């Protein structure tokens, strides 16, 4: 990274701690994705597989929010202001699917 100064361009040395953190984040996301990939081809389709996929997706989304959106360093109320609506949104989607399937079955 370079910064401009009055004398010209000044090069800042690399911060190895930040680079290590970026690689660790990429490794964690790679491992979770590899587990999802492995489960997709080894487990039978069913409710258990879908629940595992949903949980792993939420784990990845939370980790991405904490690292890339820098919510890990923010105050907890800000973090919960994002997570709690997400939980209610997931509940709403599940409830709508359930009600929709019940209404569909009542028609037959």
């Amino acid at each position: 990274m370079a910064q401009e100064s009055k004398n010209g361009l000044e090069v800042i040395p690399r911060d190895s701690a930040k680079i290590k953190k970026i690689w660790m984040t990429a490794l964690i996301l790679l491992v979770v994705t590899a587990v999802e990939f492995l489960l997709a081809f080894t487990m039978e389709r069913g409710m258990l597989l879908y629940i595992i996929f949903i949980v792993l997706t939420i784990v990845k989304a939370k980790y991405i929010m904490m690292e890339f959106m820098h919510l890990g360093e923010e105050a907890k109320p800000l973090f919960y202001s994002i997570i709690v609506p997400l939980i209610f949104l997931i509940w709403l989607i599940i409830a709508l699917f359930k009600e929709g399937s019940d209404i569909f079955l009542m028609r037959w």
Side-chain angles (χ1 to χ4, degrees):
M1 177 178 254
Q3 289 183 344
E4 287 190 43
S5 66
K6 292 181 181 180
N7 299 335
L9 198 59
E10 183 179 321
V11 177
I12 298 174
R14 287 203 227 182
D15 187 3
S16 61
K18 288 182 181 179
I19 294 173
K20 186 177 180 181
K21 185 176 180 182
I22 290 171
W23 280 110
M24 186 57 76
T25 301
L27 181 66
I28 289 171
L29 291 174
L30 176 70
V31 167
V32 174
T33 304
V35 168
E36 285 179 340
F37 189 78
L38 181 69
L39 291 176
F41 290 106
T42 58
M43 286 184 67
E44 291 184 26
R45 301 291 181 262
M47 190 58 80
L48 177 64
L49 180 65
Y50 299 144
I51 290 172
I52 290 172
F53 275 157
I54 290 170
V55 168
L56 288 176
T57 302
I58 291 173
V59 165
K60 281 192 337 186
K62 178 185 177 282
Y63 193 73
I64 288 170
M65 280 181 11
M66 296 295 282
E67 291 298 321
F68 295 119
M69 294 175 65
H70 306 290
L71 291 180
E73 295 91 25
E74 297 292 332
K76 288 297 178 188
L78 178 62
F79 172 72
Y80 288 122
S81 70
I82 295 173
I83 290 297
V84 172
L86 177 66
I87 291 171
F88 283 121
L89 182 64
I90 292 170
W91 171 80
L92 174 68
I93 291 170
I94 292 170
L96 288 175
F97 274 122
K98 176 75 173 121
E99 289 296 319
S101 67
D102 288 346
I103 290 172
F104 180 75
L105 291 175
M106 284 176 38
R107 290 179 52 186
W108 299 103

